[in-house]
Amino acid sequence: MTTRSDAEALDATSPLAHTRDRFRVPEGVVYLDGNSLGALPVGVAARLARVVEDEWGEGLIRSWNDARWMELVSRIATRIAPLVGVSPADVHVGDSTSVSLFKTMVAAARLRREQDPARRAIVVEPSTFPTDGYIAAGVADLLGLELRWCDPADPVAAVDEDVALLSLTHVDFRSGAMFDLPGITAAAHARGALVQWDLCHSAGAVPVDLTAADADLAVGCTYKYLNGGPGSPAFTWVAPRLQADLRQPITGWMGHAAPFAMTRDYERAPGIGGWASGTHQVLALSALETALEAFEGVAVADLRTASLSLTDLFVALLDERLPDLEIITPREHARRGSQVSFRHPQAYGVVQALIARGVIGDFRDPDVARFGFTPLYLRHVDVYDAVEHLAQVLAGEEHLDPSYADRNPVT
Ligand SMILES: Cc1ncc(COP(=O)(O)O)c(C=O)c1O
């Protein structure tokens, strides 16, 4: 049997033992929901206070120049780019993930159809995060395209000579299963389609090398493993070889080559600058910039080693102590993101009873209890304690408490 001392020994040799102090993790909390909302990095509160009090309060409009607010996006891009294997010059930060999905899907599907009018379909995986499917349906409606669902076990099988774009989420939000990004990209390219990747559950958690994969377009949120705070802006990456030809559809003034020339006609800014639409979200971007300092000096390979060690321990402890639970996350490292999920008929109650004990995970309809492992601030002892609490919740039937019959609006 694995003991708490075994977990302590793993913490003692973890390559990321030092990064937990970069976060404010509340006392008595085991936080297993960093795949929904990352913990608060140290320094963000002070940065926001400074931006509000000094830059906005005192500097007023002058801060656009004096505090260099216009440079926030490119500075943030330099921090995100190495986590996904790209050049910062090709990363835009702004909008929500949903809006970024819309912009990239319209641009890619439209370009491919213009190049080859037979290509009139967008392929989406049916268990993808809902917003990806909803946006694809909206784009298909807008552009008069077919929305085609693929088999999650073989997404490329649905890609034929009619397909303009394959849109996939790299790590599945329910199961934590990870697609083979380079392999699928190459196979879809061989069939003539572009591929858009949603990296919401990947960036900052698993290694991603978009350049090596010769990928086309990617988007991701920054409020999960990148810890940018609730609703923080998304990032978009567009392969440099496609930038001249792709036209994103929200042609706002911030994507203009010269916004302050205030000309009548739109002239797209060169390169990734043309992916901007409206005014920068200065407060949110400021929080995000400071949050990303938590990755300072952290190698992506070490993130992955630590993440797999944490999820391996969680799986091993579940196997030992609660073997009846149906783990739906792949056991093979190559197919596992940074979360572990299991099915339980009262999964909502299980998650709520754990939260009542300070172990925070989340529930996904209809029966999935989901636990995210952020290696920057989670320790192996936290994993051990979480499973101990889970065993006690189930043994004491705490999850059957009638108060859990009504669900909160956010689960
Ligand atoms: C894979 C994936 N895509 C998109 C989103 C959300 O999009 P938005 O940032 O627009 O709310 C999520 C949120 O959890 C997600 O998991």
Side-chain angles (χ1 to χ4, degrees), residues 227-256:
N227 314 300
S232 58
F235 68 89
T236 299
W237 171 80
V238 181
R241 71 182 143 75
L242 293 172
Q243 283 174 18
D245 294 331
L246 287 171
R247 286 146 31 235
Q248 66 91 357
I250 306 182
T251 49
W253 73 308
M254 280 294 159
H256 192 281

Side-chain angles (χ1 to χ4, degrees), residues 35-36 95-101 128-132 169-173 198-201 219-224 231-234 364 370:
N35 55 338
S36 220
D95 308 311
S96 63
T97 319
S98 300
V99 170
S100 307
L101 285 164
T128 191
F129 189 81
T131 209
D132 299 59
T169 296
H170 183 215
V171 175
D172 183 74
F173 79 104
D198 179 336
L199 301 180
C200 279
H201 291 268
V219 303
C221 69
T222 61
Y223 46 77
K224 300 180 189 293
S232 58
R364 286 296 175 259
R370 187 176 83 141

Side-chain angles (χ1 to χ4, degrees), residues 171-178 328-330 339-341 368 370:
V171 175
D172 183 74
F173 79 104
R174 266 195 207 90
S175 68
M178 182 162 69
I328 60 168
T329 304
Q339 75 178 58
V340 176
S341 307
V368 173
R370 187 176 83 141

Side-chain angles (χ1 to χ4, degrees), residues 269-280:
I272 201 69
W275 286 78
S277 294
T279 302
H280 302 47

